[in-house]
Amino acid sequence: MRHLPAPSLSFLCDMELTVEGAHLPGKTPIGNRRIIRVTGGALRGDRLTAEVIPGGDDWITVREDGTIIQDVRILLKTDDGELIMMSYRGIRTGEPEVLQRLDNNEEVDPDEYYFRTAPIFETASAKYDWLNRRLFVSRGIRLPGKVNYSIYIVD
């Protein structure tokens, strides 16, 4: 069997999302749930610049060990007026004391925890159709009142 080289990554953009406080539906059979409304934000990069239209949500499942599984859907409007739907699933985990500091809305060095997502873009725009046909990964950092990501194209 032939061993192929690992894919490379190229930078797409940085994304900042502003968020509301969590709505806490409680523990369900799946896990402890949190729903966080995305109130705005922006993506900035050479190939993609957009604003986040307020109203998206992050449906979070908190596992017994404190690991967070994200399920996010947001709508983007590019600087040239095109609409792009973006969704991503992600995972944020670390040592219990680090996760507690994040839950307390403290700023924590991103090297102290693992925070990765797999964005998917969907658009009817001919100009941005290439987003429909690529895989993406990101690294995130949780900050007080917002979340920042650096998003990369898997080449």
Side-chain angles (χ1 to χ4, degrees):
M1 185 177 296
R2 182 176 176 196
H3 179 79
L4 298 172
S8 60
L9 301 177
S10 56
F11 177 75
L12 174 64
C13 63
D14 287 318
M15 177 172 75
E16 180 172 283
L17 299 179
T18 55
V19 295
E20 287 181 356
H23 300 276
L24 305 171
K27 189 170 183 177
T28 72
I30 295 172
N32 198 2
R33 304 290 274 168
R34 298 178 190 167
I35 313 298
I36 299 175
R37 174 65 39 105
V38 177
T39 58
L43 288 79
R44 300 286 181 257
D46 291 340
R47 296 180 69 188
L48 180 62
T49 300
E51 299 298 317
V52 176
I53 295 176
D57 289 305
D58 184 353
W59 287 54
I60 290 173
T61 303
V62 183
R63 294 180 181 165
E64 290 293 326
D65 68 354
T67 296
I68 287 178
I69 305 300
Q70 295 179 283
D71 183 4
V72 179
R73 292 177 186 268
I74 57 177
L75 181 61
L76 312 173
K77 185 172 185 177
T78 65
D79 57 347
D80 52 359
E82 300 289 342
L83 292 176
I84 300 171
M85 295 167 278
M86 179 183 181
S87 62
Y88 58 92
R89 291 195 42 91
I91 188 167
R92 188 178 81 203
T93 192
E95 294 298 320
E97 61 276 1
V98 172
L99 297 178
Q100 185 60 56
R101 289 170 43 216
L102 289 167
D103 282 348
N104 291 342
N105 215 20
E106 296 176 28
E107 192 166 335
V108 179
D109 184 329
D111 289 334
E112 292 187 56
Y113 58 100
Y114 183 89
F115 188 6
R116 307 290 188 274
T117 72
I120 296 172
F121 296 94
E122 182 182 349
T123 184
S125 166
K127 178 177 180 181
Y128 295 99
D129 179 62
W130 61 273
L131 290 166
N132 294 318
R133 297 179 282 112
R134 294 291 180 269
L135 289 176
F136 303 86
V137 295
S138 80
R139 183 172 181 188
I141 180 173
R142 178 74 170 93
L143 299 166
K146 61 185 175 182
V147 184
N148 289 1
Y149 300 92
S150 291
I151 302 172
Y152 297 87
I153 303 166
V154 180
D155 295 318

